[in-house]
Amino acid sequence: MPGSRPSAQTARAVGDAVFQNSQLSSKGLMERAFAFAFRGLVYAQIWEDPLIDMEAMDIGTDSDIVTIASGGCNMLSYLTAGPRSLHAVDLNTAHVALGKLKIAAARHLPDHHSFHRFFAQSGQRANIAAYRAHVRPHLDEVTIRYWEGRDLIGRKRINAFARNIYARGLLGQFISAAHVVARLYRIDPRELLAATSVEDQRAIFERRLAPLFDRKFVRWLTQQPASLFGLGIPPAQYEALCSGSANDMAGVLRQRLEKLACDFDIRQNYFAQQAFGRGYASAPDAALPPYLQARHHQALIRHLDRASIRHCNFVDYLKQHEAGSFDRYVLLDAQDWMTDAQLNALWEEITRTSSPGGRVIFTPARARCSQKP
């Protein structure tokens, strides 16, 4: 789309994916508000577990993966398993720019230490010097224009890596706002990081965090679909999550937060570290996604040439390829956004382009699934 601003491209692409109702209807207005909210960066970190994905896909050296890029973490984590090819697509130009930045940084930063500092400990000025010296010369003009462009309050986007990139984007801002709301009730979510056992985590959650969901203001907030856009929940998915009753959403969110806070050792759960601590832990043995772990760094670099990333609709990308081109598909929660016609088109293309034994993994509103076409 020559001449279009990236945000305008994203708005059109997301609109094509989520608009299911008349512009003048209440649902139609909500869908358009959601598309507007998704014009910029949404996820600095993807929230599907790459280890579970990789186990479900059973990636081999002959695997050809097509995936939604999102924040790019899982895309690079899949590469550590050495697939034959990896094709990432996304409707959001900011996610494409982030993915290209991560690929260029992995390839051109001097060592794992500088790569780790850039993406795991992003609040350091040295990252900006590293970007200029090692990464920028290898980026395309569109990606440079995105990162050196300015956000809504006039800051260069690349400077987020000198502060905290994980507090940026729609989800990062949502989590920061949730921390502010908790503090209104004299609760600091970081308290959970001091837990010394899973039992201690549950005690802190039940005593401090769970009562928040009984507060009238919090319950009112969760009944507003727009207030949850930061979680990447479009209107259609909102109804699926709470079974059509907004009164149930506080319970849904409490249940999800309880699982995040209580079901796994927080010292080994980098998703919980991000939610409650606003970043990855800094300890030498801190939990990290595979692509940031030192033991996977050389494998990641070796396989970078097998990856590509495109600003494209998933179905349109499949249509560009011949039958039998892929055998692994990662849909995330995209199906929750789709009409029946869009779902039929998606699965027709998956069936056409899949080689024998292909696998599809996706995350619907209620559960994690894996299927073989």
Side-chain angles (χ1 to χ4, degrees):
M1 301 178 188
S4 295
R5 291 178 299 153
S7 61
Q9 294 181 33
T10 296
R12 278 195 293 271
V14 174
D16 289 343
V18 303
F19 293 167
Q20 300 181 15
N21 295 278
S22 167
Q23 182 175 349
L24 298 179
S25 67
S26 59
K27 289 185 177 180
L29 289 172
M30 192 63 63
E31 288 166 354
R32 282 151 182 81
F34 178 82
F36 181 82
F38 265 52
R39 290 168 68 96
L41 181 68
V42 181
Y43 304 110
Q45 173 195 275
I46 187 170
W47 282 70
E48 278 78 9
D49 189 336
L51 294 179
I52 298 300
D53 286 356
M54 293 160 74
E55 180 182 350
M57 284 191 284
D58 190 24
I59 299 171
T61 56
D62 59 349
S63 295
D64 296 295
I65 304 170
V66 58
T67 179
I68 295 173
S70 189
C73 314
N74 288 17
M75 171 184 75
L76 294 188
S77 292
Y78 303 158
L79 283 179
T80 66
R84 181 165 56 195
S85 68
L86 187 144
H87 309 250
V89 301
D90 207 286
L91 296 174
N92 190 311
T93 51
H95 290 163
V96 173
L98 180 57
K100 289 184 175 181
L101 181 73
K102 288 184 174 182
I103 289 172
R107 181 178 282 124
H108 299 291
L109 286 174
D111 49 33
H112 175 262
H113 172 75
S114 55
F115 184 65
H116 177 276
R117 184 189 64 210
F118 206 100
F119 293 105
Q121 304 296 324
S122 68
Q124 300 187 38
R125 289 297 308 175
N127 287 334
I128 307 307
Y131 163 79
R132 291 176 181 146
H134 301 289
V135 182
R136 188 186 191 278
H138 305 283
L139 294 175
D140 61 87
E141 182 182 345
V142 173
T143 303
I144 291 173
R145 192 161 61 241
Y146 174 80
W147 287 110
E148 297 184 10
R150 298 185 182 273
D151 62 19
L152 292 175
I153 61 173
R155 301 171 298 187
K156 279 192 173 182
R157 296 186 184 98
I158 192 62
N159 288 338
F161 290 94
R163 298 183 182 91
N164 181 5
I165 185 63
Y166 300 108
R168 299 291 182 87
L170 199 58
L171 178 61
Q173 292 165 356
F174 175 90
I175 296 174
S176 296
H179 277 238
V180 171
V181 171
R183 289 192 177 100
L184 291 176
Y185 297 101
R186 301 181 184 277
I187 297 168
D188 185 351
R190 295 175 188 268
E191 293 175 26
L192 200 71
L193 302 179
T196 56
S197 66
V198 173
E199 292 75 19
D200 195 19
Q201 290 168 213
R202 179 164 293 280
I204 294 171
F205 174 80
E206 295 290 353
R207 184 177 71 254
R208 301 289 287 157
L209 297 176
L212 274 173
F213 294 94
D214 295 324
R215 299 284 188 170
K216 289 183 179 179
F217 177 62
V218 173
R219 295 190 68 83
W220 177 82
L221 272 180
T222 62
Q223 290 172 15
Q224 316 308 312
S227 70
L228 303 182
F229 284 174
L231 289 175
I233 300 175
Q237 191 180 50
Y238 180 93
E239 293 189 5
L241 278 167
C242 62
S243 302
S245 173
N247 291 327
D248 294 337
M249 184 53 77
V252 170
L253 294 177
R254 182 195 185 283
Q255 182 185 54
R256 300 297 172 94
L257 190 67
E258 179 180 8
K259 186 173 185 65
L260 180 66
C262 303
D263 284 14
F264 309 93
D265 185 341
I266 199 165
R267 292 163 295 186
Q268 301 302 317
N269 185 352
Y270 62 83
F271 296 106
Q273 293 285 341
Q274 286 282 359
F276 299 110
R278 306 305 295 114
Y280 294 121
S282 57
D285 60 345
L288 292 166
Y291 86 101
L292 286 176
Q293 295 174 14
R295 64 192 179 100
H296 292 309
H297 191 63
Q298 290 305 313
L300 172 62
I301 293 173
R302 282 198 310 272
H303 303 143
L304 284 172
D305 288 339
R306 305 177 187 184
S308 65
I309 182 168
R310 301 281 190 276
H311 177 239
C312 189
N313 176 285
F314 200 99
V315 175
D316 290 343
Y317 190 74
L318 296 184
K319 287 180 178 178
Q320 298 169 15
H321 291 80
E322 297 179 355
S325 294
F326 309 110
D327 62 358
R328 301 291 187 271
Y329 302 79
V330 185
L331 304 180
L332 305 184
D333 63 350
Q335 293 178 106
D336 289 340
W337 302 30
M338 296 182 176
T339 63
D340 288 346
Q342 290 168 333
L343 283 168
N344 288 338
L346 170 66
W347 282 94
E348 285 174 4
E349 286 302 316
I350 288 175
T351 302
R352 185 186 66 82
T353 58
S354 177
S355 59
R359 298 187 179 203
V360 184
I361 63 173
F362 51 90
T363 315
R366 292 185 178 86
R368 188 73 167 173
C369 294
S370 173
Q371 289 192 359
K372 297 182 181 181

